[in-house]
Amino acid sequence: MTGSKRPRRWGGTDAGLGKAAYEAELLRLQTELVRLQEWARAKGPGWSSSSRAVTRRARGGTTKRVAEHLNPRVARIAALPKPAERERTQWYFQRYVGHLPAAGEIVLFDRSWYNRAGVEHVMGFCTPAEHQLFLRQCPVFERMLVEASDAAEVAAAAMGARYVCVP
């Protein structure tokens, strides 16, 4: 296959970012994340993020590269597997709530809850009714997280700390 653009192991493509530029940008971003980690640890906020990629290998590799310089006592990766039978009977967001960060923690979700909107719906892993329920509940759930972080921020401000939650 002459002229095909196959991905390289280090994250770039033949037509994309060169290896040296990729490594330099990754280091810059990792440095910023370590600064965020230190700020979170010192000031007391909880912070979370999710990783989205086409394949599990790409998503896991990206999350691992992003987190490789973080302190495991402060930052952790929540890699949720396929839901067990019991979890399939629970409220969809219940799987994620137990992994949300406490004050001073960073959680990187290896799988976004937006899978329900895209992957699970397209692949037939959820019913149309479950998909519609997710589309109605997701904005409400995220608003609840923001409001909870706002309330925690008000309380923490009185103690000289700050709380941030990014769904």
Side-chain angles (χ1 to χ4, degrees), residues 112-128:
S112 169
W113 52 65
Y114 295 114
N115 276 357
R116 175 59 55 107
V119 176
E120 292 184 15
H121 173 63
V122 171
M123 300 297 290
F125 297 151
C126 67
T127 67

PDB file of all heavy atoms in Angstrom, residues 112-128:
ATOM      1  N   SER A 112     -14.870   7.634  29.121  1.00  0.00           N
ATOM      2  CA  SER A 112     -15.806   8.715  29.375  1.00  0.00           C
ATOM      3  C   SER A 112     -17.228   8.180  29.496  1.00  0.00           C
ATOM      4  O   SER A 112     -17.585   7.188  28.868  1.00  0.00           O
ATOM      5  CB  SER A 112     -15.733   9.706  28.218  1.00  0.00           C
ATOM      6  OG  SER A 112     -16.791  10.633  28.277  1.00  0.00           O
ATOM      7  N   TRP A 113     -18.062   8.878  30.274  1.00  0.00           N
ATOM      8  CA  TRP A 113     -19.456   8.462  30.332  1.00  0.00           C
ATOM      9  C   TRP A 113     -20.175   8.800  29.033  1.00  0.00           C
ATOM     10  O   TRP A 113     -21.265   8.325  28.785  1.00  0.00           O
ATOM     11  CB  TRP A 113     -20.206   9.038  31.519  1.00  0.00           C
ATOM     12  CG  TRP A 113     -20.162  10.514  31.742  1.00  0.00           C
ATOM     13  CD1 TRP A 113     -20.671  11.496  30.956  1.00  0.00           C
ATOM     14  CD2 TRP A 113     -19.602  11.165  32.876  1.00  0.00           C
ATOM     15  NE1 TRP A 113     -20.470  12.713  31.517  1.00  0.00           N
ATOM     16  CE2 TRP A 113     -19.810  12.549  32.715  1.00  0.00           C
ATOM     17  CE3 TRP A 113     -18.951  10.727  34.025  1.00  0.00           C
ATOM     18  CZ2 TRP A 113     -19.382  13.488  33.642  1.00  0.00           C
ATOM     19  CZ3 TRP A 113     -18.531  11.662  34.939  1.00  0.00           C
ATOM     20  CH2 TRP A 113     -18.741  13.020  34.749  1.00  0.00           C
ATOM     21  N   TYR A 114     -19.554   9.573  28.168  1.00  0.00           N
ATOM     22  CA  TYR A 114     -20.150   9.868  26.867  1.00  0.00           C
ATOM     23  C   TYR A 114     -20.167   8.649  25.951  1.00  0.00           C
ATOM     24  O   TYR A 114     -20.754   8.696  24.872  1.00  0.00           O
ATOM     25  CB  TYR A 114     -19.435  11.030  26.180  1.00  0.00           C
ATOM     26  CG  TYR A 114     -19.597  12.323  26.929  1.00  0.00           C
ATOM     27  CD1 TYR A 114     -18.512  12.943  27.514  1.00  0.00           C
ATOM     28  CD2 TYR A 114     -20.851  12.914  27.054  1.00  0.00           C
ATOM     29  CE1 TYR A 114     -18.662  14.128  28.206  1.00  0.00           C
ATOM     30  CE2 TYR A 114     -21.009  14.097  27.756  1.00  0.00           C
ATOM     31  CZ  TYR A 114     -19.913  14.706  28.323  1.00  0.00           C
ATOM     32  OH  TYR A 114     -20.065  15.872  29.010  1.00  0.00           O
ATOM     33  N   ASN A 115     -19.531   7.552  26.347  1.00  0.00           N
ATOM     34  CA  ASN A 115     -19.630   6.315  25.573  1.00  0.00           C
ATOM     35  C   ASN A 115     -21.086   5.921  25.370  1.00  0.00           C
ATOM     36  O   ASN A 115     -21.453   5.349  24.353  1.00  0.00           O
ATOM     37  CB  ASN A 115     -18.902   5.163  26.274  1.00  0.00           C
ATOM     38  CG  ASN A 115     -17.432   5.163  25.964  1.00  0.00           C
ATOM     39  OD1 ASN A 115     -16.947   5.966  25.186  1.00  0.00           O
ATOM     40  ND2 ASN A 115     -16.719   4.247  26.572  1.00  0.00           N
ATOM     41  N   ARG A 116     -21.924   6.201  26.364  1.00  0.00           N
ATOM     42  CA  ARG A 116     -23.344   5.839  26.264  1.00  0.00           C
ATOM     43  C   ARG A 116     -23.988   6.581  25.086  1.00  0.00           C
ATOM     44  O   ARG A 116     -24.822   6.042  24.387  1.00  0.00           O
ATOM     45  CB  ARG A 116     -24.056   6.174  27.572  1.00  0.00           C
ATOM     46  CG  ARG A 116     -25.561   5.986  27.631  1.00  0.00           C
ATOM     47  CD  ARG A 116     -26.079   4.574  27.353  1.00  0.00           C
ATOM     48  NE  ARG A 116     -25.546   3.521  28.154  1.00  0.00           N
ATOM     49  CZ  ARG A 116     -26.173   2.884  29.122  1.00  0.00           C
ATOM     50  NH1 ARG A 116     -27.403   3.228  29.448  1.00  0.00           N
ATOM     51  NH2 ARG A 116     -25.600   1.907  29.765  1.00  0.00           N
ATOM     52  N   ALA A 117     -23.576   7.816  24.850  1.00  0.00           N
ATOM     53  CA  ALA A 117     -24.168   8.611  23.775  1.00  0.00           C
ATOM     54  C   ALA A 117     -23.688   8.161  22.404  1.00  0.00           C
ATOM     55  O   ALA A 117     -24.436   8.241  21.433  1.00  0.00           O
ATOM     56  CB  ALA A 117     -23.831  10.085  23.968  1.00  0.00           C
ATOM     57  N   GLY A 118     -22.455   7.690  22.316  1.00  0.00           N
ATOM     58  CA  GLY A 118     -21.892   7.342  21.018  1.00  0.00           C
ATOM     59  C   GLY A 118     -21.701   5.859  20.824  1.00  0.00           C
ATOM     60  O   GLY A 118     -22.515   5.189  20.176  1.00  0.00           O
ATOM     61  N   VAL A 119     -20.650   5.332  21.405  1.00  0.00           N
ATOM     62  CA  VAL A 119     -20.234   3.952  21.161  1.00  0.00           C
ATOM     63  C   VAL A 119     -21.314   2.947  21.543  1.00  0.00           C
ATOM     64  O   VAL A 119     -21.686   2.091  20.730  1.00  0.00           O
ATOM     65  CB  VAL A 119     -18.922   3.634  21.925  1.00  0.00           C
ATOM     66  CG1 VAL A 119     -18.538   2.176  21.743  1.00  0.00           C
ATOM     67  CG2 VAL A 119     -17.814   4.546  21.462  1.00  0.00           C
ATOM     68  N   GLU A 120     -21.826   3.035  22.755  1.00  0.00           N
ATOM     69  CA  GLU A 120     -22.810   2.043  23.207  1.00  0.00           C
ATOM     70  C   GLU A 120     -24.079   2.091  22.361  1.00  0.00           C
ATOM     71  O   GLU A 120     -24.665   1.058  22.048  1.00  0.00           O
ATOM     72  CB  GLU A 120     -23.144   2.253  24.689  1.00  0.00           C
ATOM     73  CG  GLU A 120     -21.986   1.930  25.593  1.00  0.00           C
ATOM     74  CD  GLU A 120     -22.345   2.043  27.063  1.00  0.00           C
ATOM     75  OE1 GLU A 120     -23.541   2.090  27.409  1.00  0.00           O
ATOM     76  OE2 GLU A 120     -21.399   2.077  27.881  1.00  0.00           O
ATOM     77  N   HIS A 121     -24.492   3.282  21.986  1.00  0.00           N
ATOM     78  CA  HIS A 121     -25.701   3.427  21.172  1.00  0.00           C
ATOM     79  C   HIS A 121     -25.486   2.824  19.779  1.00  0.00           C
ATOM     80  O   HIS A 121     -26.307   2.040  19.297  1.00  0.00           O
ATOM     81  CB  HIS A 121     -26.073   4.908  21.075  1.00  0.00           C
ATOM     82  CG  HIS A 121     -27.200   5.202  20.146  1.00  0.00           C
ATOM     83  ND1 HIS A 121     -28.468   4.717  20.343  1.00  0.00           N
ATOM     84  CD2 HIS A 121     -27.250   5.929  19.008  1.00  0.00           C
ATOM     85  CE1 HIS A 121     -29.249   5.141  19.375  1.00  0.00           C
ATOM     86  NE2 HIS A 121     -28.523   5.871  18.550  1.00  0.00           N
ATOM     87  N   VAL A 122     -24.376   3.182  19.143  1.00  0.00           N
ATOM     88  CA  VAL A 122     -24.091   2.713  17.786  1.00  0.00           C
ATOM     89  C   VAL A 122     -23.869   1.200  17.755  1.00  0.00           C
ATOM     90  O   VAL A 122     -24.324   0.513  16.839  1.00  0.00           O
ATOM     91  CB  VAL A 122     -22.863   3.455  17.208  1.00  0.00           C
ATOM     92  CG1 VAL A 122     -22.401   2.843  15.897  1.00  0.00           C
ATOM     93  CG2 VAL A 122     -23.179   4.926  17.022  1.00  0.00           C
ATOM     94  N   MET A 123     -23.178   0.660  18.762  1.00  0.00           N
ATOM     95  CA  MET A 123     -22.849  -0.764  18.785  1.00  0.00           C
ATOM     96  C   MET A 123     -23.985  -1.629  19.337  1.00  0.00           C
ATOM     97  O   MET A 123     -23.859  -2.844  19.393  1.00  0.00           O
ATOM     98  CB  MET A 123     -21.581  -1.003  19.608  1.00  0.00           C
ATOM     99  CG  MET A 123     -20.350  -0.264  19.068  1.00  0.00           C
ATOM    100  SD  MET A 123     -19.875  -0.795  17.427  1.00  0.00           S
ATOM    101  CE  MET A 123     -19.253  -2.415  17.768  1.00  0.00           C
ATOM    102  N   GLY A 124     -25.062  -1.002  19.791  1.00  0.00           N
ATOM    103  CA  GLY A 124     -26.196  -1.766  20.298  1.00  0.00           C
ATOM    104  C   GLY A 124     -26.009  -2.272  21.722  1.00  0.00           C
ATOM    105  O   GLY A 124     -26.681  -3.216  22.136  1.00  0.00           O
ATOM    106  N   PHE A 125     -25.098  -1.638  22.506  1.00  0.00           N
ATOM    107  CA  PHE A 125     -24.864  -2.060  23.889  1.00  0.00           C
ATOM    108  C   PHE A 125     -25.862  -1.449  24.860  1.00  0.00           C
ATOM    109  O   PHE A 125     -25.863  -1.779  26.043  1.00  0.00           O
ATOM    110  CB  PHE A 125     -23.442  -1.700  24.332  1.00  0.00           C
ATOM    111  CG  PHE A 125     -22.364  -2.401  23.552  1.00  0.00           C
ATOM    112  CD1 PHE A 125     -21.133  -1.806  23.382  1.00  0.00           C
ATOM    113  CD2 PHE A 125     -22.572  -3.651  22.982  1.00  0.00           C
ATOM    114  CE1 PHE A 125     -20.119  -2.442  22.673  1.00  0.00           C
ATOM    115  CE2 PHE A 125     -21.578  -4.289  22.269  1.00  0.00           C
ATOM    116  CZ  PHE A 125     -20.353  -3.682  22.113  1.00  0.00           C
ATOM    117  N   CYS A 126     -26.680  -0.512  24.380  1.00  0.00           N
ATOM    118  CA  CYS A 126     -27.746   0.032  25.217  1.00  0.00           C
ATOM    119  C   CYS A 126     -28.996   0.132  24.349  1.00  0.00           C
ATOM    120  O   CYS A 126     -28.915   0.206  23.125  1.00  0.00           O
ATOM    121  CB  CYS A 126     -27.366   1.392  25.816  1.00  0.00           C
ATOM    122  SG  CYS A 126     -27.201   2.744  24.636  1.00  0.00           S
ATOM    123  N   THR A 127     -30.130   0.123  24.986  1.00  0.00           N
ATOM    124  CA  THR A 127     -31.390   0.203  24.259  1.00  0.00           C
ATOM    125  C   THR A 127     -31.651   1.653  23.850  1.00  0.00           C
ATOM    126  O   THR A 127     -31.074   2.583  24.441  1.00  0.00           O
ATOM    127  CB  THR A 127     -32.557  -0.291  25.138  1.00  0.00           C
ATOM    128  OG1 THR A 127     -32.725   0.639  26.220  1.00  0.00           O
ATOM    129  CG2 THR A 127     -32.316  -1.694  25.675  1.00  0.00           C
ATOM    130  N   PRO A 128     -32.514   1.874  22.882  1.00  0.00           N
ATOM    131  CA  PRO A 128     -32.872   3.254  22.541  1.00  0.00           C
ATOM    132  C   PRO A 128     -33.435   4.026  23.744  1.00  0.00           C
ATOM    133  O   PRO A 128     -33.163   5.216  23.894  1.00  0.00           O
ATOM    134  CB  PRO A 128     -33.931   3.095  21.437  1.00  0.00           C
ATOM    135  CG  PRO A 128     -33.575   1.789  20.786  1.00  0.00           C
ATOM    136  CD  PRO A 128     -33.090   0.917  21.925  1.00  0.00           C
TER     137      PRO A 128
END
